[in-house]
Amino acid sequence: MPDEVNPAGVPATAMVPVAQIYRRDAPGPWWPAGIDLLQILWCPNEHWDPPAQQADASPVIDMRWRRAADVTRQLTPLPSPTRYGEDGYLPQPCSVTAEHVTDFPFREALPPELRPRLEELVHETGDGRDVITRLAGSKLGGWPTWHLTHPAVFPCGDCGTAMTLLFTVASDDETGVVVGRWGDLRIFTCPTDHRHAFQVDLH
Ligand SMILES: [Zn+2]
Ligand SMILES: [Zn+2]
């Protein structure tokens, strides 16, 4: 990060754990072969000139795909960041209980012949509200909401494949996380190779 006074930049600060997910708790197509632990971290500072795949005006995301058996040493106590941009960028420590749900995409993202059926399902289940598409909250997998912009597709910068939603960090009273204007920070990844660069988007 550049600094107004010192051209060498400001001192590095510890990244903050955002989510740790075990494969056994959330099996699904997003797990690469041999990997059973996903760790999502972020720098709790907005960077002036973030890398292209990061969202503007947001914490800067990093991800680690690991084998749980390789994690034999834990950092205790966790290092605290020496600087952070917003209180909402410091998630409250908590444990997560996995809940498996079916998430449907935004109607426009479906082939035209499937849209009437989805519309029926929304009416049948929602009591006037849509409670089955683009489910709100922090989630692994599922579909992104598009209530501010037209639906977008991010092509993988390495191979051109359309990226899919891997994880959503939602603004939430329980975790204390606030991103954007009570928004979601979404991580899109390449479905063909988890090592291809991911894309983060604030919505
Ligand atoms: Zn940073
Ligand atoms: Zn790719």
Side-chain angles (χ1 to χ4, degrees), residues 9 11 17 41 44 51 54 68 82 90 95 100-101 110 123 137 155 159 176 193-194 200:
L41 308 114
Q54 299 281 347
T82 49
L90 299 183
S95 63
H100 298 250
V101 292
L110 283 176
H123 284 298
C159 73
D193 192 330
H194 71 287
V200 184

Side-chain angles (χ1 to χ4, degrees), residues 21-41:
I21 303 148
Y22 289 92
R23 184 175 194 145
R24 61 172 184 266
D25 294 326
W30 35 76
W31 292 102
I35 300 289
D36 60 359
L37 176 62
L38 170 62
Q39 295 175 322
I40 298 172
L41 308 114

Side-chain angles (χ1 to χ4, degrees), residues 17-26 28-32 34-41 61-69 71 96 139-141 165-169 187-189 194 198:
V18 176
Q20 171 167 268
I21 303 148
Y22 289 92
R23 184 175 194 145
R24 61 172 184 266
D25 294 326
W30 35 76
W31 292 102
I35 300 289
D36 60 359
L37 176 62
L38 170 62
Q39 295 175 322
I40 298 172
L41 308 114
I61 294 269
D62 199 10
M63 281 201 297
R64 294 282 187 269
W65 295 100
R66 309 182 72 176
R67 285 172 230 273
V71 184
V96 178
K139 61 186 179 185
L140 182 69
L165 180 62
L166 175 74
F167 195 80
T168 303
V169 187
I187 305 171
F188 294 82
T189 53
H194 71 287
F198 58 83

Side-chain angles (χ1 to χ4, degrees), residues 156 158-161 190 192-193 196:
C156 172
D158 293 292
C159 73
T161 306
C190 177
T192 65
D193 192 330
H196 291 177

